[in-house]
């Protein structure tokens, strides 16, 4: 019952100084020595090249896993209809990850306006997906919160994406396949969800919830998406410590981050009086 926990993305310049020690380190190799998985968010906005994907595989260790968001041309522009060509292209582009056994899961993030009325489009799309790959669907419209939805995902071996966000109904730990589960923490910001840092008190219930989820499936992919101010890697390390699976490398980095945060906090307080 493995839990692979990381963040959504790794290339944020604002992480330099807390998570990344400086601008001299190559970000992905450094990240890959701390976490064992990452969700590629950039693939939603622009299809990566096959050479770029192959570079990701070379930059990480043999057991590292990549999850990727399907391009928005599939999920948002075409709303899953008539997207066979785009899907085939995407699966071909990410083949270097599949070939090196570094492919984790593909995320089908639906637009907020995509409601249960379009269940026919979703079902037709799910029927096109390769059965040997892991997929997860993230709903944003509350009309999907029903047993018919979970039955459809279960039929096709696709995971329901369990999330923490201002949309509370998505946090229900509904597991729809015994092969994998998918979890995302978006943050609870008022204006921008992702501009948020979880407190330890807010993370503690999720430590228990992760145990519950992982007991029902073989692999749980879990990613923090609250990337502002290095909150995503910081919260990920905190949660790993809470569930007792933090490694020596992770613990050492967490201690360094705590020290850097304290120094930054002291500098801020001194500046306030200048």
């Amino acid at each position: 019952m493995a839990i692979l926990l990381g963040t959504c993305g790794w290339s944020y310049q604002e992480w330099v100084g807390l998570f990344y020690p400086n601008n001299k380190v190559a970000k992905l190799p450094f990240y890959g020595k701390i976490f064992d998985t990452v969700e590629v968010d950039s693939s939603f906005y622009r299809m990566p090249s096959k050479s770029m994907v192959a570079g990701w595989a070379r930059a990480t260790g043999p057991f590292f896993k990549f999850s990727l968001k399907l391009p928005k041309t599939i999920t948002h522009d075409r709303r899953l209809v008539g997207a066979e060509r785009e899907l085939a292209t995407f699966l071909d582009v990410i083949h270097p990850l599949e070939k090196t056994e570094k492919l984790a899961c593909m995320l089908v993030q639906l637009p907020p306006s995509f409601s249960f009325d379009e269940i026919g489009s979703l079902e037709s799309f799910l029927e096109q997906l390769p059965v040997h790959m892991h997929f997860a669907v993230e709903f944003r419209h509350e009309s999907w919160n029903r047993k018919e939805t979970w039955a459809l995902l279960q039929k096709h071996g696709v995971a329901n994406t369990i999330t923490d966000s201002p949309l509370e109904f998505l946090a229900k730990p509904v597991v729809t396949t015994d092969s994998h589960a998918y979890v995302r923490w978006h943050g609870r910001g008022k204006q921008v969800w992702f501009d948020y840092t979880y407190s330890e008190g807010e993370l503690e219930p999720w430590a228990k919830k992760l145990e519950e989820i992982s007991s029902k499936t073989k692999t749980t992919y879990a990613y923090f998406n609250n990337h502002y101010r290095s909150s995503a890697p910081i919260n990920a390390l905190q949660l790993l410590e809470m569930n007792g699976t933090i490694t020596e490398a992770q613990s050492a980095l967490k201690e360094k981050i705590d020290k850097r945060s304290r120094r930054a906090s002291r500098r801020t307080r001194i500046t306030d009086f200048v």
Side-chain angles (χ1 to χ4, degrees):
M1 307 300 179
I3 299 176
L4 303 182
L5 194 151
T7 66
C8 300
W10 68 84
S11 60
Y12 303 105
Q13 180 61 25
E14 62 189 292
W15 291 10
V16 176
L18 274 181
F19 181 72
Y20 298 116
N22 52 58
N23 273 314
K24 295 179 180 179
V25 301
K27 289 184 174 64
L28 182 55
F30 182 95
Y31 177 99
K33 292 177 182 177
I34 303 301
F35 296 110
D36 50 17
T37 187
V38 72
E39 179 190 283
V40 180
D41 182 67
S42 60
S43 57
F44 174 79
Y45 301 98
R46 183 178 181 181
M47 184 90 68
S49 66
K50 186 177 285 190
S51 61
M52 181 184 295
V53 174
W56 297 341
R58 290 193 300 270
T60 50
F63 304 109
F64 192 86
K65 303 290 185 183
F66 291 86
S67 290
L68 301 96
K69 287 176 70 173
L70 261 62
K72 65 184 180 68
T73 53
I74 296 174
T75 57
H76 287 54
D77 296 345
R78 292 191 177 275
R79 300 177 76 88
L80 308 183
V81 178
E84 294 84 357
R85 184 175 180 180
E86 288 89 344
L87 178 61
T89 299
F90 181 73
L91 295 179
D92 178 63
V93 163
I94 65 174
H95 183 68
L97 297 178
E98 185 181 10
K99 183 173 64 175
T100 55
E101 298 184 353
K102 293 190 173 187
L103 184 60
C105 187
M106 273 72 71
L107 174 63
V108 185
Q109 186 184 71
L110 299 176
S113 61
F114 196 96
S115 72
F116 189 79
D117 291 340
E118 296 176 81
I119 188 172
S121 299
L122 176 60
E123 183 161 22
S124 296
F125 182 76
L126 296 183
E127 291 172 351
Q128 302 173 39
L129 302 180
V131 295
H132 68 284
M133 293 181 172
H134 286 177
F135 287 87
V137 174
E138 181 172 341
F139 301 102
R140 293 289 181 92
H141 196 284
E142 194 162 3
S143 62
W144 291 100
N145 185 22
R146 59 179 73 189
K147 62 182 181 181
E148 292 87 351
T149 302
W150 319 136
L152 175 63
L153 296 185
Q154 188 172 28
K155 174 184 175 182
H156 292 281
V158 172
N160 165 55
T161 301
I162 303 158
T163 71
D164 184 279
S165 74
L167 302 178
E168 296 182 5
F169 79 95
L170 296 173
K172 186 166 59 174
V174 177
V175 177
T176 54
T177 169
D178 60 6
S179 62
H180 64 288
Y182 208 88
V183 183
R184 305 178 87 211
W185 291 270
H186 290 304
R188 304 174 185 176
K190 298 290 185 182
Q191 298 297 324
V192 181
W193 290 3
F194 322 115
D195 189 3
Y196 192 83
T197 302
Y198 289 95
S199 67
E200 291 189 0
E202 290 169 327
L203 290 177
E204 285 174 356
W206 275 104
K208 298 177 181 177
K209 195 174 292 189
L210 270 185
E211 289 183 8
E212 177 187 350
I213 294 167
S214 65
S215 69
K216 299 176 182 179
T217 191
K218 293 179 181 178
T219 304
T220 300
Y221 307 108
Y223 304 99
F224 279 89
N225 196 26
N226 53 329
H227 58 81
Y228 287 84
R229 298 179 305 280
S230 303
S231 295
I234 291 171
N235 283 153
L237 292 171
Q238 289 174 323
L239 189 54
L240 286 166
E241 186 174 58
M242 286 179 185
N243 65 20
T245 60
I246 195 167
T247 66
E248 289 185 12
Q250 291 168 339
S251 183
L253 179 58
K254 183 178 181 297
E255 185 175 343
K256 289 180 181 178
I257 290 174
D258 289 342
K259 290 180 179 178
R260 293 167 187 165
S261 296
R262 288 194 293 270
R263 286 199 298 268
S265 178
R266 286 197 296 271
R267 286 197 297 270
T268 301
R269 288 198 297 271
I270 292 172
T271 304
D272 289 342
F273 292 97
V274 174

